[in-house]
Amino acid sequence: MLPIPDIQQPGTARYDAKDPEVSNPPIRQVKPPQGAPNVLVVLLDDVGFGAASAFGGPCATPTAERLAAGGLKYTRFHTTALCSPTRAALLSGRNHHTVGMGGITEIATSAPGYNSLRPNTCAPLPETLRLNGYSTAQFGKCHEVPVWETSPMGPFDRWPTPGGGFEHFYGFIGGETNQYYPAIYNGTLPVEPDRTPEQGYHFTEDMTDKAIGWVRQQRALMADRPFFLYYAPGATHAPHHVPKEWSDKYAGRFDHGWDRLREQTFARQKELGVVPADAELTARHAEIPAWDDIPDDLKPVLARQMEVYAGFLEHTDHHVGRLIDALGDLGILDDTLIYYIVGDNGASAEGDIHGCFNELINLNGVNDLQTTQFMSERIDDFGTPQAYNHYAVGWAHAMCTPYQWTKQIASHFGGTRNGTIVHWPNGIQARGEVRHQFAHVIDVAPTVLEAAGIPQPMIVHGVQQKPIEGISMAYTFHGPDEPDRHVTQYFEMFCNRGIYHEGWTAVTKHSTPWDPKGGVAFDDDVWELYDTNTDWSQARNLAAEQPGKLRELQRLFLLEARQFNVFPLDDRKVERFDADLAGRPVLIRGDSQIVYGGMGRLSENSVLNLKNKSHSVTAQITIPDGPARGVIVAQGGQFGGWSLYVLDGRLRYCYNLFGVKRFHVGGATALAPGVHEVRLEFTYDGGGLGKGGRAALLVDGRRDGDGRIDATVPMIFATDETLDVGSDTSSPVSDEYTTAESTFTGAVAWVRLNVGSDDHTHMITEADRMKVAMTRQ
């Protein structure tokens, strides 16, 4: 039972504390069992099995190799094929549908397996450890907070702290962040980076500095307590951001293309023993173009994309190494159980067939803007603060060598199999060995509890708990030949489905990450059958030869899916982005919203949606006696958004179209000191999504300027940039000021966002909605 109930023992009944007969029991603190180790869980983002050099990949990961040399490599460790679900499963020890995370939080529905709400019957591992006396902290990415709970008002029950069991959190909330301009929280309070990109700032370095500082402080003040540290960088999720010197190390190494790269990686994997000698390299699917079919003028751009990614992964591993070195300097490395999980799913194929310079253009369904010429002209900017880049599908597939498919495709090992390393010298005698037992991310929590000597709790905060669904991996630490204990595991993501049982897998792929078209009817999905006891990589489909075995496993999938909340299957794409149709709560309703001076870090889920419609933005401001400048209100950032601001004492408006073009509208009147009401009126052209319009500026009710906006962002400005009042945090929307210059020199009393009565949303067709929403998916 957690918290462990206090037991009060009566002291000696004496009137005077100085009486020599006075005797009180000592204060007892809750502490873990003697010998419980420190625990460090490292979870990288979007790294396929064939990426890291520790598992034969082309990207140097010396820290992973060092830990593997002193510990164990796991070659059959599996994730869920997507970030939020894997993280929820990791921290709970239960399957992702059990804890409501059947997809990412942005597409949550009201179905229990997909609502993004971890039940209080499934207390997270950090909370169990904390209530048993561990110090707990998380650094990096958290993508498990329901979107309607991400505003500054919370509630914070499902944030890392306090609801997630972590006493300290430093990181970002959401699926991705700009590594140069991250939206950081310290606990639940937004904070800004202490340096600019020009001064050398990068989030991975920053979060590592904070993690090292926390460990040192914990050791200095609570050395008698072990810690649980969860280190989850945003790397290597897009955008692929890394200092140029890291990507330049790989110049020319990928000019031969992804097909040759797969062959080279596969050969190294056999040499390392992370795949058996008789394993087969699976064929490239027809949906993925051959490198030889890529136009010659595009190949240098695609090669640079991979150079940047490789540098990004090596850079990330380097900073993991800094944390490992800090543990060594403190003399606690040998007594720290380390899980280094190289990816929360397979490599990401969400960058489209040719990759992209600005991922947000693709998310908005206007991929055609990023032509070969467009990307070639910007080739030197990939990976820098000027880009929001992602690599091509072919590279993602190569990073999942030797398996089929990629991230999102839970049916095949390319989406779910991730190299994993366990290092614990005081608890594992073996050094540099390989383990081939089947394991899943839900197995981490019970392994940690067993290592710590802590039982699974039956009751937490008065609520009876569901049993942990994972199986401890501790039996593998000393038993390389021990038979598998995790013998059955279902998989499902975006209706890509699979079942593993005693080496056999039955799988069906229903959807493709880069293809916006929906799949066929569920009953028409084609199932495949593989015996991975003899066919390691799922290369030989036996469905036609053994239909009876296939039917047996299909029935088993139905039983497992029913038990763990997988049903109903849901391949809707448009509807799940509409909160009302999906059945999840909406924070803001109606056609008007008022925000006040000082408010900020408001995600797009926290403010009125002004896209694809006529709207107005009205603000009451006070102009100081001195020079007036700065942002009144801004939404978005460098790669898309809008800003209403004062420059040289005059009102200005900037509309940023994906960072490709900025439209400026300026006022003519110098704003006198005192109180003013300023207003932007945007009249939308209509006729579909992402169309243009006319912007007019008004000061105290009088028109002060107007201008044409040729096109607009149809769906999303950014996944991490926000709306801020009185400044423009993170990256700047306008090119007429920097983030440091964006603070308004006067005062902003309030800002009212309003959707006009003459909006043109009725002119947006259902086909338009379908096209953009499916692309965004």
Side-chain angles (χ1 to χ4, degrees):
M1 180 185 294
L2 296 176
I4 297 172
D6 294 327
I7 300 176
Q8 288 192 329
Q9 300 179 7
T12 305
R14 291 291 185 271
Y15 182 71
D16 190 339
K18 298 187 293 296
D19 189 320
E21 295 297 320
V22 170
S23 176
N24 294 309
I27 295 174
R28 301 184 64 180
Q29 296 177 286
V30 175
K31 293 183 180 179
Q34 187 69 28
N38 305 305
V39 180
L40 167 63
V41 175
V42 177
L43 180 67
L44 302 191
D45 202 341
D46 283 4
V47 185
F49 186 87
S53 61
F55 290 88
C59 310
T61 52
T63 300
E65 292 182 20
R66 171 165 47 122
L67 292 174
L72 304 173
K73 282 184 187 178
Y74 285 82
T75 63
R76 297 169 71 216
F77 183 94
H78 299 82
T79 55
T80 70
L82 199 64
C83 48
S84 299
T86 289
R87 293 158 197 273
L90 168 71
L91 293 177
S92 69
R94 282 92 169 179
N95 286 297
H96 54 301
H97 294 91
T98 298
V99 290
M101 204 66 75
I104 54 174
T105 57
E106 291 82 356
I107 58 172
T109 73
S110 58
Y114 302 86
N115 60 19
S116 72
L117 301 172
R118 175 182 49 78
N120 60 9
T121 56
C122 300
L125 173 65
E127 181 72 344
T128 298
L129 295 176
R130 184 185 71 83
L131 293 174
N132 276 280
Y134 268 77
S135 300
T136 58
Q138 175 178 345
F139 297 88
K141 171 177 172 174
C142 173
H143 197 190
E144 302 99 81
V145 180
V147 291
W148 63 91
E149 296 183 356
T150 58
S151 83
M153 288 304 296
F156 303 109
D157 299 348
R158 294 176 180 85
W159 286 52
T161 181
F166 290 104
E167 296 167 318
H168 180 72
F169 170 64
Y170 184 85
F172 63 95
I173 303 294
E176 65 186 40
T177 197
N178 188 320
Q179 299 289 328
Y180 298 113
Y181 294 100
I184 312 169
Y185 289 89
N186 189 347
T188 60
L189 299 177
V191 295
E192 298 302 321
D194 59 0
R195 304 185 306 282
T196 66
E198 293 73 24
Q199 295 169 326
Y201 181 84
H202 191 283
F203 177 66
T204 306
E205 178 180 359
D206 180 20
M207 64 169 276
T208 307
D209 290 342
K210 298 298 191 297
I212 292 172
W214 182 86
V215 171
R216 288 172 174 168
Q217 180 167 268
Q218 198 274 345
R219 289 290 89 189
L221 301 178
M222 289 188 174
D224 60 338
R225 293 176 180 266
F227 61 77
F228 177 78
L229 196 162
Y230 177 36
Y231 178 96
T236 57
H237 196 293
H240 298 163
H241 280 159
V242 66
K244 198 170 185 293
E245 60 268 23
W246 290 86
S247 51
D248 284 352
K249 294 169 67 173
Y250 290 87
R253 294 197 193 180
F254 304 108
D255 292 350
H256 49 66
W258 45 67
D259 293 317
R260 179 61 182 146
L261 179 59
R262 291 187 78 223
E263 295 170 354
Q264 294 173 341
T265 297
F266 188 50
R268 287 192 296 265
Q269 289 173 334
K270 288 190 173 183
E271 292 173 5
L272 290 173
V274 296
V275 303
D278 61 353
E280 297 181 35
L281 178 62
T282 58
R284 173 177 40 78
H285 298 278
E287 294 91 332
I288 304 171
W291 180 258
D292 289 344
D293 293 336
I294 297 295
D296 288 341
D297 57 348
L298 181 58
K299 286 180 178 178
V301 174
L302 301 191
R304 185 57 180 168
Q305 293 172 3
M306 186 60 214
E307 292 168 7
V308 170
Y309 178 84
F312 194 21
L313 179 51
E314 182 177 351
H315 176 264
T316 305
D317 179 82
H318 164 76
H319 288 290
V320 175
R322 292 178 53 225
L323 178 56
I324 300 301
D325 290 342
L327 299 183
D329 293 341
L330 291 168
I332 57 175
L333 179 59
D334 287 356
D335 195 33
T336 300
L337 169 60
I338 300 174
Y339 262 90
Y340 190 153
I341 307 172
V342 190
D344 56 351
N345 41 242
S348 171
E350 297 156 341
D352 202 17
I353 293 296
H354 294 157
C356 54
F357 181 76
N358 179 358
E359 180 196 25
L360 297 167
I361 295 178
N362 287 16
L363 291 177
N364 279 277
V366 284
N367 312 37
D368 292 344
L369 286 177
Q370 303 194 81
T371 62
T372 297
Q373 179 181 349
F374 175 90
M375 291 195 289
S376 296
E377 291 171 349
R378 295 162 173 80
I379 190 170
D380 292 334
D381 289 333
F382 276 79
T384 72
Q386 284 68 50
Y388 206 86
N389 49 290
H390 202 331
Y391 61 10
V393 166
W395 296 125
H397 183 230
M399 293 302 98
C400 297
T401 302
Y403 303 112
Q404 298 187 53
W405 299 112
T406 61
K407 174 185 177 181
Q408 293 193 19
I409 303 179
S411 51
H412 294 74
F413 289 156
T416 63
R417 185 163 285 184
N418 290 91
T420 295
I421 295 162
V422 176
H423 181 275
W424 183 23
N426 285 1
I428 302 174
Q429 296 178 351
R431 300 287 185 271
E433 294 185 4
V434 178
R435 295 291 185 266
H436 298 302
Q437 287 94 340
F438 185 95
H440 191 272
V441 69
I442 61 176
D443 299 336
V444 174
T447 307
V448 170
L449 292 178
E450 181 174 345
I454 295 174
Q456 297 181 24
M458 301 294 291
I459 296 175
V460 178
H461 298 301
V463 179
Q464 185 169 344
Q465 297 294 293
K466 289 184 177 181
I468 285 180
E469 294 163 359
I471 296 171
S472 173
M473 298 167 59
Y475 76 97
T476 68
F477 292 172
H478 309 294
D481 299 319
E482 282 288 315
D484 292 358
R485 295 186 184 178
H486 194 142
V487 297
T488 304
Q489 179 62 47
Y490 83 90
F491 296 91
E492 189 280 333
M493 192 62 59
F494 295 118
C495 302
N496 298 310
R497 319 190 283 289
I499 184 73
Y500 169 91
H501 181 65
E502 297 180 345
W504 287 84
T505 63
V507 302
T508 181
K509 189 184 79 69
H510 183 78
S511 61
T512 305
W514 61 92
D515 185 351
K517 297 188 296 295
V520 299
F522 297 131
D523 289 342
D524 294 332
D525 282 331
V526 177
W527 284 77
E528 302 163 13
L529 178 69
Y530 300 98
D531 179 6
T532 65
N533 296 298
T534 59
D535 175 20
W536 180 273
S537 58
Q538 296 176 312
R540 300 188 298 273
N541 180 10
L542 304 176
E545 300 173 29
Q546 300 198 42
K549 186 65 175 181
L550 177 59
R551 286 193 295 270
E552 173 191 329
L553 291 176
Q554 287 173 314
R555 286 193 296 268
L556 181 57
F557 172 82
L558 294 175
L559 293 173
E560 294 288 299
R562 176 66 183 87
Q563 178 180 352
F564 296 113
N565 271 351
V566 176
F567 296 132
L569 296 175
D570 192 346
D571 64 353
R572 295 176 299 167
K573 296 195 174 182
V574 175
E575 293 89 344
R576 290 179 70 173
F577 282 101
D578 185 311
D580 290 330
L581 293 176
R584 63 178 176 269
V586 176
L587 194 61
I588 302 299
R589 293 188 179 276
D591 57 9
S592 183
Q593 180 184 10
I594 295 180
V595 292
Y596 296 91
M599 291 178 64
R601 198 62 69 83
L602 303 178
S603 69
E604 294 191 37
N605 290 293
S606 303
V607 296
L608 194 67
N609 183 8
L610 305 180
K611 302 180 189 73
N612 309 307
K613 61 195 74 173
S614 295
H615 60 269
S616 63
V617 179
T618 308
Q620 185 184 95
I621 63 173
T622 300
I623 297 296
D625 291 332
R629 68 171 296 141
V631 171
I632 300 168
V633 59
Q635 183 179 26
Q638 178 180 350
F639 300 102
W642 58 269
S643 178
L644 186 65
Y645 55 104
V646 175
L647 183 66
D648 297 328
R650 290 171 170 78
L651 190 63
R652 298 281 290 176
Y653 174 72
C654 173
Y655 194 93
N656 182 336
L657 185 67
F658 302 121
V660 175
K661 186 171 184 179
R662 290 176 172 84
F663 302 93
H664 298 90
V665 179
T669 305
L671 297 169
V675 178
H676 297 275
E677 184 176 283
V678 297
R679 179 178 174 91
L680 160 76
E681 291 184 350
F682 185 84
T683 305
Y684 188 61
D685 291 342
L689 293 162
K691 303 301 181 182
R694 194 150 196 93
L697 298 177
L698 293 85
V699 175
D700 298 324
R702 295 186 298 273
R703 185 176 291 263
D704 194 45
D706 62 23
R708 175 75 188 164
I709 311 298
D710 292 339
T712 58
V713 174
M715 287 293 294
I716 182 171
F717 290 127
T719 57
D720 58 341
E721 300 273 9
T722 55
L723 183 141
D724 300 280
V725 181
S727 65
D728 186 356
T729 63
S730 296
S731 65
V733 171
S734 175
D735 54 357
E736 295 187 330
Y737 58 78
T738 66
T739 302
E741 299 167 339
S742 70
T743 302
F744 189 53
T745 56
V748 181
W750 50 262
V751 176
R752 183 173 67 248
L753 311 175
N754 191 76
V755 176
S757 59
D758 58 342
D759 70 84
H760 299 270
T761 55
H762 64 281
M763 300 181 70
I764 300 171
T765 67
E766 186 61 26
D768 288 323
R769 296 182 192 277
M770 178 77 71
K771 174 184 175 183
V772 175
M774 287 197 303
T775 304
R776 184 184 182 200
Q777 164 91 355

